[in-house]
Amino acid sequence: MAAGGGIDPIHQFHINPIVELKPFGLNLSFTNTSLWMVIVTAVVSAIMIYGSSQRSVVPGRLQSLAEMMYEFVASTLTGVMNKDGMKFFPFVFSLFMFVLASNLLGLLPGSFTVTSQIIVTAALAVLVMSVVLIYGIAKHGTHFFGLFVPSGVPGWLLPFVVLIEVVSFVSRPVSLSLRLFGNMLAGHIALKVFGGFVVALTTGAAAGLFTYAIAPLPLLLAVALTALEVLVAVLQAYVFAILTCVYLNDALHPGH
Amino acid sequence: MPVRSSGFVRQGWPLAVASFATLLAGAAQAAEQKHGESGEGASFPPFDPAHFASNLFWLAITFAALYWLMSKVALPRIGEILEERANTIGRDLDQAAEMQAKAEDMAQAYEKALAEARKNAQGIAQTARDTGAKASDAQRHATEAELAAKLAQAEATIAKTKTEAMGNVRGLGGDVAIAIVTKLTGQAPTASEASEAVDQALSRG
């Protein structure tokens, strides 16, 4: 509870060090963000590794879940790229599962949403674009830059088209990271605000018969928003993964 | 769709490390700048560069760990499971088809054997009938021949007996003629004269 007596919707994004670590003047403390990154990794690994440890031909529940995730990401990937895109499968799969688990675990009351930190989503987006750039240049050399030069454009128009293509390419990591960050941040703030309304209406300074009567309204809205947020959490992870596939496809087949 | 350790898995590491190191350095610089500006305390936490380095550092560790676990352990294993399942199902289907074909073959062979057996049975019955008829014919012929032989023998015996009897009658006639002549004339003719006379009488009469 921050200043002002109400509930601070930003409080949930505060980063608190759990173990202070400051080598060479860098602040590398193990914080609540770090803790939830570890939890996300542990949960995903538990589902995927423990779930598949039985190796049964007729899968159990956890193995079905693991296989479902595998086949879902694999079909998404091969839908965007061809079969040769499967070399990026572990990368896309890890990204999707990390973002999905971060989003979903962040919805648990009292948890911390890793993907509501812009530096995290930015780092993931930069990682994707680095893979695109470095793989594209390593595989196709200067031919990769043909990505920015669409064929069949009249000569006088070419400089503008190339400029637009470059700008759109450079803005990809920005949109990729901001989309995820914004969705997570906004959703959690909205949830907290409506939750705060309920508390303010029932225990606030002006609490009375009238406020008690209307208190269920923001509560209902908060419940509905929670359902929406679950959808958004899954959808944003999917959007992140499929855009990653689209960008990686450029590295694989730079010709327009 | 099994995941094989590909070129990207091997090339990906330096790339990931490099990009994270770059970001980390940038974050550290940003944090220092912010410190230099002034301790503007309650800023919006996601935009506070003070935590960038720590977040990046732990993201790099956890995401690298996740990537390693997924690409080396989980995904190849699940790929194997799925491939094995597809193989098992394919094999079972093949086996079922093979068994069905075999069963159909066997049914056909059975039908064929049945038809052949029926034909054989007819043949055997025909042969048996023929053989029976032939055997009874042969037996009848044999019996008839035997009877004819016995008849011929009997006829021969009768003829012989008759001849013998006729011979006896002549002998008897001679004797009777001697006795009669002796009684009449008192003088006995010789046997040869008697038999000659009998013969003359027989040829006459």
Side-chain angles (χ1 to χ4, degrees):
Chain A
M1 318 294 132
I7 289 168
D8 179 10
I10 305 301
H11 180 259
Q12 57 183 325
F13 305 114
H14 273 295
I15 294 173
N16 309 307
I18 297 170
V19 181
E20 296 267 355
L21 273 176
K22 294 191 175 172
F24 317 115
L26 269 174
N27 181 10
L28 302 181
S29 303
F30 190 80
T31 62
N32 48 354
T33 326
S34 322
L35 174 68
W36 281 92
M37 288 173 186
V38 171
I39 291 173
V40 162
T41 305
V43 167
V44 174
S45 304
I47 292 170
M48 298 309 294
I49 293 173
Y50 176 71
S52 64
S53 60
Q54 296 284 319
R55 291 169 178 271
S56 43
V57 174
V58 180
R61 272 180 223 168
L62 207 58
Q63 192 182 323
S64 288
L65 180 63
E67 286 175 9
M68 234 164 68
M69 302 316 297
Y70 181 102
E71 291 188 316
F72 175 70
V73 177
S75 68
T76 304
L77 189 104
T78 48
V80 175
M81 305 187 238
N82 295 328
K83 269 270 193 281
D84 52 349
M86 283 305 278
K87 68 182 74 156
F88 292 117
F89 181 57
F91 177 60
V92 175
F93 187 84
S94 306
L95 266 179
F96 175 70
M97 290 308 278
F98 190 86
V99 174
L100 180 68
S102 297
N103 293 355
L104 286 177
L105 289 174
L107 282 173
L108 295 176
S111 71
F112 186 90
T113 315
V114 175
T115 40
S116 70
Q117 298 296 316
I118 191 164
I119 189 67
V120 172
T121 61
L124 293 177
V126 167
L127 178 65
V128 170
M129 295 325 285
S130 310
V131 170
V132 169
L133 271 177
I134 294 178
Y135 183 85
I137 292 171
K139 184 94 185 286
H140 302 285
T142 52
H143 184 65
F144 173 71
F145 296 105
L147 186 64
F148 305 121
V149 190
S151 54
V153 173
W156 60 271
L157 204 58
L158 207 57
F160 301 103
V161 173
V162 168
L163 187 69
I164 290 169
E165 289 282 340
V166 169
V167 168
S168 95
F169 186 84
V170 170
S171 59
R172 278 172 178 185
V174 178
S175 69
L176 191 61
S177 56
L178 281 183
R179 183 182 304 110
L180 179 58
F181 162 72
N183 270 287
M184 287 301 110
L185 187 83
H188 282 265
I189 289 177
L191 270 180
K192 197 67 164 222
V193 165
F194 283 106
F197 280 166
V198 181
V199 177
L201 286 171
T202 50
T203 65
L209 219 57
F210 178 68
T211 61
Y212 280 136
I214 61 168
L217 292 177
L219 180 66
L220 281 175
L221 216 58
V223 171
L225 264 181
T226 308
L228 180 71
E229 279 311 299
V230 172
L231 176 73
V232 169
V234 176
L235 203 65
Q236 286 305 316
Y238 178 66
V239 166
F240 198 93
I242 202 157
L243 283 176
T244 300
C245 289
V246 169
Y247 299 158
L248 285 172
N249 191 36
D250 282 344
L252 218 53
H253 315 285
H256 261 273
Chain B
M1 279 171 278
V3 179
R4 301 268 174 260
S5 177
S6 63
F8 174 71
V9 176
R10 268 172 273 119
Q11 292 162 16
W13 283 111
L15 156 65
V17 170
S19 64
F20 271 112
T22 317
L23 275 172
L24 207 58
Q29 215 171 14
E32 263 169 43
Q33 270 177 4
K34 169 128 179 116
H35 261 279
E37 277 167 17
S38 70
E40 219 180 297
S43 72
F44 189 52
F47 293 147
D48 185 358
H51 304 298
F52 282 4
S54 143
N55 276 351
L56 285 173
F57 179 70
W58 289 102
L59 176 66
I61 289 178
T62 50
F63 190 75
L66 183 70
Y67 180 81
W68 188 82
L69 285 171
M70 291 301 110
S71 64
K72 295 285 172 201
V73 186
L75 298 181
R77 195 195 277 169
I78 293 174
E80 269 171 36
I81 293 172
L82 293 177
E83 198 177 17
E84 197 182 299
R85 180 173 310 143
N87 285 345
T88 309
I89 290 172
R91 204 172 46 229
D92 285 359
L93 281 179
D94 284 355
Q95 224 164 25
E98 206 176 296
M99 299 269 252
Q100 197 177 9
K102 218 183 264 180
E104 266 164 26
D105 280 357
M106 273 164 87
Q108 243 166 18
Y110 167 75
E111 294 270 309
K112 216 167 110 187
L114 196 66
E116 214 161 275
R118 210 170 275 150
K119 220 164 77 185
N120 276 354
Q122 271 174 355
I124 288 169
Q126 188 61 47
T127 319
R129 221 175 293 130
D130 289 355
T131 324
K134 218 179 274 175
S136 69
D137 268 6
Q139 198 157 13
R140 205 181 65 232
H141 284 143
T143 314
E144 275 172 5
E146 203 177 327
L147 286 176
K150 273 187 180 162
L151 201 63
Q153 201 177 4
E155 271 170 5
T157 311
I158 289 167
K160 196 175 149 202
T161 313
K162 194 178 167 187
T163 318
E164 257 171 34
M166 288 306 280
N168 287 347
V169 165
R170 221 187 53 183
L172 202 62
D175 287 348
V176 170
I178 289 171
I180 293 170
V181 170
T182 310
K183 263 284 177 39
L184 288 177
T185 62
Q187 147 177 53
T190 59
S192 60
E193 281 171 345
S195 73
E196 204 176 302
V198 168
D199 283 345
Q200 275 175 5
L202 278 176
S203 62
R204 242 185 285 139

